Amino acid sequence: MGYIMELRKLVGTRPIIMVGVSIIVRNSEGQILLQKRTDSLDWGTLGGSMELGETFEETARRELFEEAGLQAEELNFITNLSGEDFYYKYPHGDEVYNAIAVYEAVRVQGTPTINDDEGLDLRYFSLDEPIHNLNSNSYMILKQAGYIQKW
């Protein structure tokens, strides 16, 4: 059981600060890999919360493998994101204020494969036009990290 699950036993669904990462994976056409989430049934960026003792990069590598079965030779730090824009209420009621380190995966190895129970599908999307059913938190990550500029 992870750190957030243990913390939730103590605080219930009340808002907490959740420290985590978002990993941007691009294919050769510049499209980004998104995951169809099991909890909200919308598309979101890869990523997740930090476990006790992990670094941001260790969290990014673990989440990249857990959610997509991929490994990156290198991770490029893009930005840190936090504040009111990163409040999120999960469908089951848990509330968080995310503090997110965004990384872009470089020289990715493997074939995108659902590797855990958090995803239903993995697919590459162009950022030239709005993505139908994009998770609101993922939209803010992509927008504030500079990936979305046209919409």
Side-chain angles (χ1 to χ4, degrees):
M1 182 172 295
Y3 170 69
I4 295 297
M5 298 280 284
E6 289 290 325
L7 188 58
R8 283 289 175 204
K9 288 181 184 179
L10 301 172
V11 301
T13 62
R14 292 188 340 213
I16 61 171
I17 296 171
M18 187 161 66
V19 179
V21 299
S22 181
I23 308 103
I24 307 301
V25 177
R26 291 178 176 242
N27 64 14
S28 59
E29 289 84 40
Q31 299 170 318
I32 64 161
L33 184 63
L34 297 177
Q35 170 192 65
K36 188 166 189 178
R37 301 169 50 93
T38 57
D39 60 354
S40 55
L41 302 177
D42 53 11
W43 292 96
T45 55
L46 302 176
S49 62
M50 182 180 280
E51 295 295 336
L52 294 175
E54 277 186 322
T55 66
F56 284 107
E57 283 196 7
E58 288 169 341
T59 303
R61 289 183 187 285
R62 176 180 52 76
E63 289 289 345
L64 180 61
F65 184 75
E66 284 179 4
E67 293 188 353
L70 300 173
Q71 295 182 325
E73 284 186 29
E74 188 178 333
L75 294 169
N76 285 344
F77 173 74
I78 304 300
T79 190
N80 285 319
L81 302 170
S82 59
E84 290 285 333
D85 287 341
F86 293 95
Y87 166 83
Y88 186 76
K89 185 173 184 177
Y90 287 90
H92 61 277
D94 288 355
E95 296 180 68
V96 296
Y97 284 88
N98 289 292
I100 304 165
V102 180
Y103 289 91
E104 188 165 318
V106 179
R107 292 183 300 284
V108 176
Q109 299 168 355
T111 301
T113 305
I114 295 170
N115 230 11
D116 64 12
D117 62 355
E118 295 178 23
L120 296 170
D121 194 6
L122 293 164
R123 191 178 307 161
Y124 284 97
F125 290 84
S126 170
L127 294 176
D128 291 336
E129 295 184 21
I131 297 167
H132 175 69
N133 204 22
L134 180 63
N135 177 276
S136 62
N137 197 48
S138 293
Y139 171 79
M140 289 305 300
I141 291 168
L142 294 171
K143 180 90 171 151
Q144 290 198 21
Y147 288 91
I148 296 174
Q149 297 172 1
K150 297 179 183 178
W151 43 279

